[in-house]
Amino acid sequence: MFTPPKPRFREHFRQDLINNLMNRSNQGTIQLYKHHIITECIMYSCDMCLEFQRKSDGLLTSDWIEHITKEVGEAIKTILSRDFNDEDIRVAAEKVQQLMRSPATDLQREVDNYYNR
């Protein structure tokens, strides 16, 4: 069975992620460590997955969660190539898969809290 390739989102995510990382680092005055970057990858991925889930009437499969997280991770790699790698994306993807099993309202609250919304 042929499945068409999934779209590349990384360029769409890149500017948001730059802004988010700049906000996290207080415009570059606070050093971010690897756990901060992985957490950003996880939270932004969850945010995008929840949005995708809403817009697709709840149709969000595990492979789409993995794809969205990989695209977020690849976007972060273009921003912080020396500080973020494929293993970090794998770690984030496992956590996102786990978090996406939570009730959507709870996870949305956690994401909103992370982004101070």
Side-chain angles (χ1 to χ4, degrees):
M1 181 174 156
F2 172 75
T3 40
K6 292 179 174 56
R8 287 175 59 115
F9 298 123
R10 56 191 79 170
E11 286 306 313
H12 299 288
F13 296 159
R14 193 171 190 282
Q15 193 56 55
D16 275 352
L17 289 162
I18 289 170
N19 294 341
N20 293 349
L21 292 165
M22 287 301 288
N23 288 339
R24 286 269 155 227
S25 69
N26 195 28
Q27 307 311 309
T29 61
I30 298 171
Q31 182 175 353
L32 295 180
Y33 294 97
K34 182 158 307 244
H35 73 276
H36 295 116
I37 301 165
I38 292 172
T39 300
E40 178 60 31
C41 183
I42 292 165
M43 288 291 112
Y44 190 83
S45 295
C46 286
D47 198 21
M48 293 301 101
C49 285
L50 289 166
E51 184 175 333
F52 185 97
Q53 192 171 40
R54 276 190 303 277
K55 290 182 177 179
S56 66
D57 292 326
L59 301 174
L60 181 66
T61 58
S62 182
D63 63 317
W64 272 98
I65 294 169
E66 185 175 332
H67 176 68
I68 290 168
T69 306
K70 184 167 175 44
E71 288 297 296
V72 172
E74 291 297 330
I76 292 174
K77 274 176 46 178
T78 68
I79 300 163
L80 300 167
S81 58
R82 290 178 294 156
D83 300 315
F84 197 77
N85 58 45
D86 290 339
E87 177 62 16
D88 300 324
I89 295 172
R90 189 192 64 72
V91 168
E94 286 178 11
K95 185 66 176 176
V96 172
Q97 289 282 0
Q98 177 188 345
L99 289 169
M100 288 304 296
R101 290 187 209 109
S102 307
T105 52
D106 294 345
L107 182 54
Q108 187 65 63
R109 196 173 311 115
E110 187 176 340
V111 168
D112 288 346
N113 201 22
Y114 176 80
Y115 287 115
N116 298 315
R117 297 186 260 198

